[in-house]
């Protein structure tokens, strides 16, 4: 009797620099993954080439006893409930074309979603959000974004759910690229921390540590870690804004957990406790015990979440 | 051939002063409703008496050709996902006992929920929120609260979802009863508006209009309506805080609509346009066109929403 084939999921995470592809088991384990440089995906030729590369990667990981049961696709932009891609300045993608080309390559439907939503879902399934029904995921990096999960499913809204970076935390504060003032992203992105740090240095007449560019936040974390009072002061401010923002979200959604990801979350051990203090000082009493945890899947979160989304939308999970 | 009986829903809205009971058609029309004074519902005798009165009211409305298919119950407190009642200072209710007594009286299961969530669901089904999948409902009155609907269902979270009155809109602002500072409720409840108005009077050396108590906001609205500059200034402030709070919620949830209810929404024609302006000035661009509408069901919203919730949980709608 021939052995039955084993179903697998494919999670694709399109970023501005790389396209990451993972083969994921039905339990959410990453069997293998790889990345290629992101190129334009607009013309029929470009789309066929991209889909072919993705399929080759996925099939390279899967043995002869495997088959692809569902495919999910994460992208850095607003994906509407009608699966249209809006506001995606960092990639050149014809989403409808890419979905069709991938569906043809894999022989199953392909379901797109926003990449922060994918990461939220990945952390829910196999990361720090396991066990939560309702989860708020926050990414801290070049930008500040997030994803909202209610009853185990990503909330899409009109496409822009989880735009936590644009919470107005400082009335009349710094002007944001979005045109408004005092958005969270102005204070808690990498650039935001550098700005807070340089301001604190100016207040104290201290020469800042050397930074390669305006979003080079790592040396600020390192200075704080080594006890530099001014860097600690900047990090305190950073944490206060983030704690206040999480308090805003908690009043609205009362989630089971917050999960903090993105590049800056590598320093969560340093700023996490400060954020917790600021959060508990600001939030309604009934929400004080909601845990704030660092993400645990790192760069895999988007692929794992995309795979999960593909499986959910296909009716498999 | 005997005519078939027609199914109806019962929606019960327990308030601090009255218990309101409505007989609702499966389409959400209120066939009839009535109210009795709220009494303690804790001992077996009190519970049996309350359930008997409610059944008598509902059956008084329903003709012989009707039967009760589902019952929902709204209460002023946190109702957890396990149907426990927390933080309900204005009513003396043993919720488990009341649910059981009502279930016995009606012969169907009874499903409890928070009253602001019920109003949100009522407005979604038959009020200003019709057509929305995702809706944020805000009540403005003695307190400021709300309800969140995602994909046509109330989000319960850990019980405290939609506590919009405790959004921290003014960092370091006025001390709230919840122990924190700068909560929305301090500025946009009835008492909040009176406070803003009296402060504005003090700034301008103007004698305030006569108010019966610290939460008597109607004369302030009336003064603004008649062009009193100081009352208009207070209302502008009021609207700015509310607009900012809605912007915070929009970043998180990106709903299809906001609906504003509660006693103060009677003056929505006066402050609604100011709130819209403040909202659009603060919110992320992608959320600017989300409509902000006055509630349209008034005191019926809680009963209609409770009935809908009962029908949803019973698997009828």
């Amino acid at each position: 009797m021939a052995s039955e084939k084993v179903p697998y999921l494919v999670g694709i995470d399109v970023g501005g620099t790389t396209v990451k592809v993972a083969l994921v088991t039905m339990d959410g384990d990453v069997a293998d993954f790889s990345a290629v440089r992101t190129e334009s995906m607009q013309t029929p030729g470009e789309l066929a080439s991209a889909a072919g590369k993705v399929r080759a990667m996925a099939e390279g990981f899967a043995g002869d006893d495997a088959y692809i049961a569902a495919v999910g696709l994460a992208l850095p932009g607003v994906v509407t409930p009608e699966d249209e891609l809006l506001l995606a300045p960092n990639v050149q993608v014809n989403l409808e074309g890419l979905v069709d080309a991938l569906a043809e390559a894999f022989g199953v439907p392909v379901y797109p979603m926003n990449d922060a939503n994918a990461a939220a879902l990945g952390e829910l399934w196999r990361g720090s959000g396991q066990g939560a029904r309702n989860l708020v995921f926050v990414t801290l990096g070049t930008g500040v974004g997030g994803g909202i999960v209610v009853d185990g499913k990503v909330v899409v809204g009109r496409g822009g759910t989880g735009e936590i970076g644009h919470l107005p935390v400082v009335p009349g504060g710094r002007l944001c690229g979005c045109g408004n003032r005092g958005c969270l992203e102005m204070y808690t992105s990498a650039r935001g921390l550098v700005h807070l740090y340089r301001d604190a240095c100016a207040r104290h007449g201290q020469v800042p540590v050397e930074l390669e560019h305006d979003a080079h936040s790592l040396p600020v974390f390192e200075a704080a870690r080594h006890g530099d009072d001014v860097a600690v002061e900047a990090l305190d401010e950073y944490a206060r804004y983030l704690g206040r923002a999480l308090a805003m979200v908690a009043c609205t959604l009362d989630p089971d957990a917050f999960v903090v990801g993105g590049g800056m979350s590598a320093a969560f051990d340093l700023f996490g406790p400060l954020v917790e203090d600021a959060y508990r000082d600001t939030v309604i009493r009934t929400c004080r015990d909601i845990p704030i945890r660092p993400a645990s899947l790192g760069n895999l979160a988007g692929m794992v979440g995309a795979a999960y989304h593909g499986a959910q939308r296909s009716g498999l999970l």
Side-chain angles (χ1 to χ4, degrees), chain A:
Chain A
M1 194 174 125
S3 64
E4 270 189 53
K5 288 208 175 192
V6 179
Y8 281 87
L9 308 170
V10 171
I12 306 164
D13 188 358
V14 175
T17 316
T18 60
V19 176
K20 297 196 286 285
V21 179
L23 187 73
V24 178
T25 72
M26 296 302 289
D27 294 328
D29 288 320
V30 174
D32 208 342
F33 75 98
S34 185
V36 289
R37 196 157 60 95
T38 307
E39 301 188 66
S40 171
M41 292 177 267
Q42 294 183 300
T43 67
E46 290 167 349
L47 290 164
S49 159
K53 273 188 215 171
V54 168
R55 193 182 74 161
M57 281 195 275
E59 297 196 336
F61 306 143
D64 286 342
D65 61 337
Y67 73 97
I68 307 301
V71 179
L73 173 66
L75 301 116
V78 168
V79 178
T80 71
E82 294 75 32
D83 293 341
E84 283 172 300
L85 182 66
L86 310 175
L87 300 177
N90 298 319
V91 288
Q92 277 84 48
V93 174
N94 165 357
L95 181 58
E96 197 185 341
L98 180 58
V99 163
D100 288 348
L102 288 166
E104 196 179 316
F106 283 104
V108 293
V110 172
Y111 297 101
M113 74 190 308
N114 168 267
D115 56 0
N117 286 348
L121 210 49
E123 291 290 340
L124 180 88
W125 194 23
R126 290 303 305 273
S128 301
Q130 284 180 68
R133 285 188 320 130
N134 301 332
L135 177 77
V136 174
F137 176 75
V138 182
T139 87
L140 303 171
T142 310
V144 174
I148 311 283
V149 175
V150 168
D151 269 336
K153 290 201 177 134
V154 157
V155 182
V156 174
R158 308 176 320 140
T161 298
E163 284 290 355
I164 288 167
H166 297 282
L167 278 167
V169 288
V170 182
R174 290 181 55 206
L175 186 64
C176 177
C178 81
N180 293 323
R181 288 191 172 274
C183 293
L184 180 66
E185 185 165 291
M186 290 297 95
Y187 305 92
T188 65
S189 61
R191 196 177 299 272
L193 176 60
V194 166
H195 200 285
L196 291 175
Y197 170 67
R198 284 181 172 157
D199 279 358
C201 286
R203 277 199 303 277
H204 294 280
Q206 180 173 308
V207 178
V209 296
E210 201 176 322
L211 302 174
E212 286 170 24
H213 48 79
D214 283 351
H216 191 208
S217 59
L218 187 62
V220 181
F221 284 123
E222 286 310 306
R225 200 180 288 283
H226 291 99
D228 176 333
D229 286 344
V230 175
V232 169
E233 185 175 312
L235 211 57
D236 267 331
E237 270 195 277
Y238 176 90
R240 211 155 53 234
Y241 292 124
L242 186 54
R244 188 187 296 163
L246 297 188
M248 292 172 179
V249 176
C251 285
T252 309
L253 275 175
D254 193 22
D256 299 313
F258 289 101
V259 172
V260 177
M264 294 174 90
S265 69
F268 187 87
D269 65 308
L270 201 61
F271 68 78
L274 305 174
V275 173
E276 287 195 6
D277 287 347
Y279 170 76
R280 295 192 209 310
D281 282 353
T282 325
V283 80
I284 181 171
R285 194 175 301 131
T286 51
C287 292
R288 253 176 226 168
D289 58 342
I290 300 175
I292 303 172
R293 301 181 195 133
S296 60
L297 296 184
N299 284 335
L300 297 177
M303 289 180 277
V304 172
Y308 189 59
H309 180 71
Q312 279 186 329
R313 296 259 312 249
S314 302
L316 298 176
L317 285 177

